[in-house]
Amino acid sequence: MRHMRLPRSQRPVRLMAVGLLAASLALTACGAGSRTGAATATKVACDFTNPSTPTTINVLAYNSSAVDPFSNTMVASCTHDNVTVKHDPIDFAGQLEKTTATLAGDTGTYDVVETYTYAIPDLASRGKLQPLDDLYAKNKDKYALGDLDPNTLKSMTYDGKLYGLPMQSQLLVMAYRKDLFDKNGLTPPTTFEELRTDAKRLQDAEGMKYPIALPLLSTADLDTAFAAALGSQDSAFFVNPDTKKPNFTEEPTAKALEQLKSLLPYMDPQVTTFDQPKVQQQLYNGKAAVAVMFSGRMNDLVQQKNTKLYDKFGFAAPPAVFAGGKAYSTVSTDGWSIPFNTKVDKDLLFEVIGASVSQEASQASVPAAFPARTTVDQSASPYAAATKDSLAKGPTKEIQPYVPAVSEAIRPVLANYMAGKIDVPAAQQQMQAAAEKVMAAQK
Amino acid sequence: MKRRQFWALVAPSVVVMFGFMLVPLYQTLRWSFESVNYGEAGTFIGLTNYRAALGDARLGRAVLFTVGLTVVASAFCIVFGYVLAALVNKLGRARPLVLGILLISYVSPQVVGAVAFSWLFDSNFGGIVDYLLNAVSGGAFGNPLWFTSTWPNRLIIVANVVWFMLPFAMLMILAGLQGVSEETLEAAEIDGASPLQRHLYVIIPSIRGVLGFVVLILTMDVIRVFDSLIPLAPQSLTNGNESLMVYIYRVAFSEASRNLGLGSAISVLTIILILILLFPSIRNIVKEARA
């Protein structure tokens, strides 16, 4: 017997409606989840003078296990009386774009922005950030800001003025499989030569195809890796600070390029698609035994919920590219800045960011972060010693307004080089040309 | 209907169209002739942006990739969409359930679907397809590098676009099939037409208008593919799989220069390209309407 049929004119409509409804119901069964972790964050004193009218403070800060404790503490502690602090989840790339947009005009969307060492000179030189020296002096005692590491304050300073209040620093740190290293009589490599030797040993003895994992994503991380390899040959900068002429045709660039490529036989052939989470994944899965990433990623490795290998990792300063050189490392301090175009009272904003980097807030961020405060007890952090070592052995920083633009300009060239499309001399020429174009635009 | 009533009903749509379409279009066109810094008024520079865009080999590569993807993915969607629609059309009570399942990929956020899709090929996240192809077949397929090698990467991009757009094509064609006269089909059957002949000579000609509409929408959607390429084509900068929209986004918002003017010029050129590609479909639809 045939089933009942609708009149022709109604059937297509009914059909679509039922189909879409069924699909929508299937999808909406999945909950959206919490937007931030502020509900469970550490609460600290945030005693600002209550504004006379309701005030919303919009915070722009990317999400990571190292930054979240500070953002969440800010939201949880400073949302009271007439003040509401808002922070929506966003990734680092999104933060970069929104920073550009919010600082573009006379009015912006955000009242507090997360900034970092390499962004400060560019933003400050263009008048996009509020100098904080007076506010810092005014609140120094109240929030014990004198305990902040002077180096981190220096990292947030441009042309003698403070533009950011440091919360924590990120350094490149090496994570390695201590169990496999011990089993094979290996010690953490101190040079790239040792790194290659150790990797070869792990390939042969453990059958591990790709023992090394580095974040070399061609659209984001590659220039950071190159800068670390260049910096490891100390005093090798992108651009000569005196003549403002790019240095990419010089020998250190050739060596940095060659050394980065020398690791490819020990890395996944698709390593140029690896961002830091993917490198973490390689370590979680036991596919890699050595990785160099920013310190903010290290605490994830020792969490049992992430990997069954959580108790097998050791941490050390990254190796030097050449014996006797500086570590393949870089340091960037994350901090809070106040945009030039915010309409919210600056005193109030500084109190809010001051509270978020207080002693209690900083202590609560351990071991996820490497806080800027010198008074924080980091004995609970499995990687803090390695981070300090990385800081001590790291290269001289090139902190100039043009560095971010030059970094982005050379990235496609580095991607083509790592993909094997161009050789070292061609890469050097193209990087030089790209950087010269940026420097010409800077004038 | 009185003139006043007509305008009262039409005005909201006109305002929305003006605000959300014409103003951005005008702004894009204007910026394409200007040097623009974020937050500042642009400076007129004539055709400089267009010269820069047309002189960039990257634009040519992006056009080739995008048009190729559009043609291949649309062809797949039309053929398989028709087959699926014909099968679903034969279903009884199970039809709503099957339709609901088929539509999940279409109503899920594209970037979420693309991330999940990428995991099928990424050994870091299980990579079940990669595993089946390599481990089970003993590497007979040569361990393809799905995310860095040009053609394997294109394969997964096409597969993802088809997976995402196929339900739409199927649904539209199914609606068209519902309108095919049963008398005509019975007449064709009595005349001795085989099932294949009935499809080729009776059904397809009678839903030509629907098929034209599907091609139109597919072309517009696939040519604007963007978010799914973020997880699926992380190496697009070097392996030639950069779509027009990704190229525009990078030029305007993410690369060193953050060149809104150049990005706008490429956008205008893209609009022209879309109009060229859509011309046959639009002409057919107009013909159908007049017939």
Side-chain angles (χ1 to χ4, degrees), chain B residues 53-129:
Chain B
L54 293 168
D56 188 356
R58 209 169 140 189
L59 175 65
R61 286 196 298 270
V63 168
L64 274 178
F65 169 74
T66 310
V67 172
L69 177 67
T70 304
V71 170
V72 173
S74 299
F76 267 98
C77 285
I78 289 287
V79 172
F80 288 104
Y82 182 85
V83 171
L84 267 178
L87 292 171
V88 170
N89 199 31
K90 298 279 182 216
L91 290 174
R93 285 185 187 175
R95 190 186 297 175
L97 179 68
V98 172
L99 266 181
I101 292 166
L102 286 172
L103 283 170
I104 287 174
S105 66
Y106 186 59
V107 296
S108 65
Q110 220 167 328
V111 71
V112 173
V115 169
F117 203 86
S118 75
W119 290 348
L120 297 173
F121 299 86
D122 189 339
S123 58
N124 269 312
F125 299 97
I128 185 70
V129 175

Side-chain angles (χ1 to χ4, degrees), chain A residues 60-62 89-101 110, chain B residues 249:
Chain A
L60 175 61
Y62 73 99
I90 193 164
D91 65 355
F92 184 64
Q95 175 184 302
L96 290 182
E97 285 158 33
K98 282 185 182 283
T99 300
T100 303
Y110 295 96
Chain B
Y249 165 76

